[in-house]
Amino acid sequence: MALQGILVLELAGLAPGPFCAMVLADFGARVVRVERPGSHYDVSRLGRGKRSLALDLKQPRGAAVLRRLCARSDVLLEPFRSGVMEKLQLGPEILQRDNPKLIYARLTGFGQSGSFSRLAGHDINYLALSGVLSKIGRNGENPYAPLNLLADFAGGGLMCVLGIMMALFERTRSGKGQVIDANMVEGTAYLSSFLWKTQKSSLWEAPRGQNILDGGAPFYTTYRTADGEFMAVGAIEPQFYELLIKGLGLKSDELPNQMSMDDWPEMKKKFAAVFAKKTKAEWCQIFDGTDACVTPVLTLEEVVHHDHSKERGSFITNEEQSISPRPAPLLSNTPAIPSFKRDPFVGEHTEEILDEFGFSREEIDQLKSDKIIESNKVKASL
């Protein structure tokens, strides 16, 4: 795989960090998740392909263990607020002195500097500060966050993956690692570059929820069907819009101009009334295979069984029969080969990892006795 031979240490955190490390593991990196003793499992459920080491970093000897691990690793991924790692004597200046090739990836909400850098937050807060939240929501209603996908996983986890990949590539030329300041606010803002670059265009001239791409247009929204399901419509271009009108059984010459914004509210009502007359399956029969840009709104259960998903093998099932999306994108020569094993228990691999990093049996036993590390080996059932 593309990242074969790359060793990553992931310090346990919530969703963005675990997702970042899982992507690296999916594409071949060896990922060790360093977790707090006493914790039961990764609440994010994103431990695929990783091994678990339970280590108490708050104790100086625990921090010393991590320092030894970092001396032989390629990437350290840490999710703590600004200053936390420095207090533990594990800041980049110290760790990169030991290992100049170490890539030190810092993934936080607000970044390593600025007045918010030491504050707590969640996806909705980062989304709000990025400016993006102000653009999401229906006309006359409060802005709303689209789950916790945009800031946590796109602006945070995936942007951090990008930073790590670029740092790994640059290291092939300089031989040196670097520090990555990945944060959800700026990552989400960067994702919204299209919004910034088109602010003065006609795309956003109306208030939130009344524009083409934010639910205002009758040809770019969702409609309820006769069976209480939904269809998604994205027929922007004139030729696609004509196919939409044809599929709905309407006539263009009897409708207002597609781009007449004053008529959009009434056109949405008309389209809604038509969509409500047939079931989702019936609309699929009409629009499937056309360029009308009309598709069913699939549930998570439905998407797994959809023909397109099955034809491409878009989902995988692990040994516990848990279904999840196959890693993307597809690489022709070095595709991701995700693990099909269950996620690791906290501390399941503690002893074997330390052994691989050169810790003696006596050192491991002493660390275990002093509760610096925790080992939760799986016992065989006979």
Side-chain angles (χ1 to χ4, degrees):
M1 287 186 280
L3 297 180
Q4 183 176 353
I6 298 298
L7 179 56
V8 178
L9 298 178
E10 172 205 348
L11 302 190
L14 297 178
F19 176 68
C20 173
M22 187 190 77
V23 172
L24 298 175
D26 283 341
F27 284 87
R30 290 186 296 146
V31 177
V32 172
R33 180 171 163 87
V34 182
E35 312 196 63
R36 302 172 185 86
S39 53
H40 299 292
Y41 56 87
D42 173 13
V43 296
S44 300
R45 309 292 193 190
L46 295 170
R48 184 170 66 208
K50 305 175 187 178
R51 292 188 296 168
S52 175
L53 164 69
L55 176 65
D56 189 353
L57 295 178
K58 292 184 178 180
Q59 297 194 50
R61 287 170 61 201
V65 169
L66 184 70
R67 185 169 172 177
R68 282 178 63 178
L69 300 180
C70 288
R72 294 176 53 179
S73 299
D74 296 289
V75 179
L76 174 69
L77 173 61
E78 67 95 354
F80 307 127
R81 297 185 218 179
S82 177
V84 170
M85 290 293 278
E86 282 74 8
K87 288 181 180 179
L88 297 173
Q89 299 299 304
L90 293 169
E93 298 82 5
I94 293 175
L95 298 186
Q96 289 183 325
R97 190 186 312 138
D98 297 340
N99 179 5
K101 293 184 176 182
L102 180 68
I103 292 166
Y104 197 113
R106 319 195 81 164
L107 176 53
T108 61
F110 302 106
Q112 297 300 310
S113 60
S115 57
F116 276 57
S117 62
R118 295 175 185 266
L119 299 180
H122 282 293
D123 179 280
I124 194 169
N125 307 118
Y126 313 138
L127 199 59
L129 279 187
S130 74
V132 175
L133 185 57
S134 70
K135 292 291 187 179
I136 304 175
R138 293 190 178 280
N139 178 37
E141 298 180 7
N142 294 352
Y144 66 85
L147 308 180
N148 67 326
L149 293 175
L150 271 181
D152 276 355
F153 296 106
L158 204 55
M159 281 293 183
C160 193
V161 170
L162 178 62
I164 291 170
M165 297 306 300
M166 288 191 288
L168 285 169
F169 178 72
E170 194 282 331
R171 194 179 68 173
T172 64
R173 296 181 298 204
S174 69
K176 295 181 179 180
Q178 56 185 300
V179 180
I180 299 168
D181 181 356
N183 69 85
M184 270 75 93
V185 173
E186 292 172 343
T188 306
Y190 189 34
L191 282 173
S192 71
S193 294
F194 174 73
L195 293 177
W196 289 89
K197 296 290 188 179
T198 57
Q199 274 298 290
K200 296 181 180 180
S201 74
S202 59
L203 281 176
W204 313 110
E205 60 186 359
R208 183 184 69 246
Q210 298 181 42
N211 298 282
I212 291 179
L213 299 177
D214 61 8
F219 50 84
Y220 201 89
T221 187
T222 59
Y223 292 98
R224 184 184 293 271
T225 58
D227 53 347
E229 299 291 328
F230 296 91
M231 297 296 289
V233 176
I236 299 175
E237 291 81 358
Q239 66 272 28
F240 301 155
Y241 180 73
E242 282 301 318
L243 293 174
L244 166 66
I245 298 303
K246 179 181 177 181
L248 293 177
L250 301 174
K251 296 181 179 180
S252 297
D253 56 5
E254 297 178 359
L255 296 172
N257 181 277
Q258 177 187 0
M259 292 300 174
S260 176
M261 296 180 71
D262 290 340
D263 293 303
W264 281 359
E266 284 303 314
M267 289 174 70
K268 287 176 78 172
K269 291 179 182 178
K270 182 181 289 290
F271 287 5
V274 176
F275 271 106
K277 294 178 180 178
K278 289 182 172 65
T279 66
K280 182 166 73 172
E282 289 173 324
W283 285 119
C284 286
Q285 287 184 327
I286 291 172
F287 287 111
D288 280 1
T290 76
D291 281 340
C293 301
V294 179
T295 51
V297 177
L298 300 177
T299 65
L300 296 185
E301 293 77 19
E302 288 174 327
V303 69
V304 174
H305 302 289
H306 190 270
D307 286 345
H308 184 73
S309 300
K310 290 192 293 184
E311 289 160 2
R312 289 187 54 82
S314 301
F315 293 86
I316 58 176
T317 304
N318 69 9
E319 65 182 16
E320 296 183 314
Q321 300 305 302
S322 174
I323 300 173
S324 59
R326 184 198 60 206
L330 292 176
L331 302 181
S332 62
N333 294 334
T334 56
I337 305 175
S339 171
F340 289 90
K341 296 180 179 179
R342 59 163 174 77
D343 290 358
F345 301 127
V346 172
E348 182 175 344
H349 309 98
T350 296
E351 295 185 34
E352 71 177 59
I353 290 169
L354 293 181
D355 178 68
E356 290 173 9
F357 275 84
F359 285 76
S360 68
R361 185 69 256 172
E362 291 74 21
E363 287 178 303
I364 294 173
D365 289 340
Q366 191 62 54
L367 290 168
K368 190 174 178 182
S369 174
D370 295 340
K371 300 188 184 308
I372 305 297
I373 62 173
E374 183 178 278
S375 181
N376 292 311
K377 293 181 180 179
V378 179
K379 295 182 174 65
S381 299
L382 300 178

